[in-house]
Amino acid sequence: MKHYQLRALVAIADHGGIHAAARALFLSQPAITKAMRELEQEVGLPLLLRKSRGVTLTPAGQTLLTRARMIVRELERAEEDLANLKGNIGGRLAIGVTPLAGLTILPQAFAKFRASSPEIELSFFEYSSDQIYDNLKNGSLDFAVGALAEERISLPTGSTELLSLPTSLAIRKGSRYASSRSLAELQDLEWLHTDLTGRHNLFLGELFASHGLRPPRRITRCSSQSLFYQLAMQNDVVIYWSQLALSAPILQAQFETIHINAKLPDLKLNLMIREDGLLTRAAEYFIQCVQQVAAQHTQQSSIRT
């Protein structure tokens, strides 16, 4: 199997067809078709199902695609590192995040990184913790920063905890429910969250049950961040966030913390590195920026307490 063949397979999967793959790779359609024909002959299995409106991958194609993505991206990373050694500045990073990371340490880490690495192409992808694991495993992400599901027993190899963040409930500024002091007073309100896994509902069920209460009847999931903020700012809905995120000036101006008499669990913010993956120099430096910002927040938190 040759690099250009695997690259063609990945491009077809990503762009939905041979025509689009050819455009993305700046090659001719016959060149992509030939590469795929050679690859199918090499593996001895059909990899594409050719249809009137394009192509889809066969089960064999899907199986090969998982490893092809990793191989193609690893070769690109090697080329980037070698180019840097020659004095060429450039490369790209794909970084996975959960909303908590975006609201806390990543903006400052980004500023530090950009100050000395203006030429690196950056892409941030917001995922659930499960999606982050999958995309680290297949090589799509260089690394990730985010909160993990509580039930996960272990972190991916090479991953570390960055911050342990106290949490609070909050509601829009000026709401009459901001003075609530018990879960019972909030039971009949709307509860809003962004979790895609269904774990937030389980968390609320356990939290309310520990106080002898039924869970809220109205729990709304919203994966759109823009809609989430509009709903939270214009309605009496309860949100669950880290205190660090809620202390950000832009959020502090819009939301009030609800000081209830219930212990809420901390959120763990973790740095997640692809298992058995080799980091590029750019990735290593961005991770240093993330770790420095996390250490500053930890130091500031210890001073306050």
Side-chain angles (χ1 to χ4, degrees):
M1 288 183 282
K2 306 295 191 298
H3 176 221
Y4 70 88
Q5 297 167 344
L6 297 178
R7 215 166 146 239
L9 177 68
V10 172
I12 290 170
D14 287 345
H15 298 282
I18 292 174
H19 288 284
R23 287 195 299 270
L25 297 178
F26 301 102
L27 295 172
S28 66
Q29 181 187 342
I32 297 294
T33 301
K34 180 182 177 183
M36 290 309 305
R37 188 181 302 115
E38 292 173 347
L39 185 57
E40 289 179 321
Q41 290 172 352
E42 179 74 25
V43 301
L45 290 167
L47 301 175
L48 301 178
L49 288 174
R50 293 162 176 84
K51 300 180 178 180
S52 58
R53 294 190 176 182
V55 298
T56 59
L57 270 62
T58 65
Q62 290 289 351
T63 298
L64 180 57
L65 176 65
T66 301
R67 298 191 183 276
R69 285 191 190 283
M70 189 176 298
I71 293 167
V72 169
R73 184 62 188 120
E74 278 302 305
L75 285 172
E76 290 174 350
R77 290 181 177 111
E79 290 168 354
E80 290 168 11
D81 270 343
L82 290 172
N84 287 338
L85 290 174
K86 294 177 183 177
N88 299 326
I89 301 173
R92 63 188 179 96
L93 288 179
I95 303 168
V97 301
T98 64
L100 181 63
L103 289 168
T104 52
I105 66 174
L106 269 182
Q108 289 176 271
F110 170 82
K112 289 174 71 70
F113 179 83
R114 266 293 180 242
S116 60
S117 302
E119 303 300 326
I120 301 296
E121 178 187 333
L122 292 174
S123 297
F124 295 99
F125 299 95
E126 186 171 293
Y127 291 128
S128 69
S129 58
D130 288 337
Q131 291 172 323
I132 281 177
Y133 271 70
D134 291 340
N135 284 285
L136 283 172
K137 186 176 179 180
N138 68 28
S140 298
L141 297 176
D142 289 277
F143 66 92
V145 181
L148 290 180
E150 289 294 326
E151 62 269 28
R152 286 205 178 271
I153 298 173
S154 61
L155 296 173
T157 301
S159 300
T160 54
E161 182 180 311
L162 292 168
L163 289 171
S164 181
L165 300 169
T167 59
S168 291
L169 301 180
I171 201 163
R172 67 185 175 92
K173 206 83 167 178
S175 170
R176 63 189 179 93
Y177 296 99
S179 60
S180 300
R181 294 294 176 264
S182 69
L183 287 172
E185 296 175 74
L186 305 173
Q187 195 173 28
D188 293 325
L189 293 184
E190 190 97 29
W191 289 66
L192 187 66
H193 69 97
T194 59
D195 178 54
L196 299 175
T197 66
R199 296 187 183 102
H200 189 77
N201 292 48
L202 295 175
F203 158 70
L204 288 181
E206 292 171 358
L207 177 64
F208 276 76
S210 68
H211 289 261
L213 300 169
R214 60 166 175 75
R217 285 194 299 267
R218 294 183 292 162
I219 303 175
T220 298
R221 179 174 65 189
C222 180
S223 61
S224 165
Q225 288 294 322
S226 58
L227 179 58
F228 178 91
Y229 291 125
Q230 290 301 316
L231 292 176
M233 286 189 293
Q234 297 182 30
N235 300 274
D236 286 326
V237 299
V238 183
I239 56 177
Y240 168 68
W241 268 345
S242 74
Q243 293 177 9
L244 179 59
L246 289 167
S247 67
I250 189 170
L251 296 182
Q252 204 170 41
Q254 297 164 341
F255 299 101
E256 292 187 56
T257 298
I258 305 174
H259 300 284
I260 60 168
N261 55 1
K263 173 63 177 174
L264 298 174
D266 288 353
L267 289 173
K268 309 293 185 182
L269 194 64
N270 296 279
L271 167 68
M272 293 165 272
I273 299 173
R274 188 165 59 84
E275 192 170 359
D276 301 324
L278 296 174
L279 294 169
T280 62
R281 298 172 71 182
E284 288 178 345
Y285 179 60
F286 202 118
I287 286 173
Q288 288 178 17
C289 295
V290 168
Q291 291 170 330
Q292 289 170 7
V293 173
Q296 291 169 3
H297 280 291
T298 300
Q299 185 178 21
Q300 292 168 1
S301 178
S302 64
I303 292 173
R304 287 194 296 268
T305 56

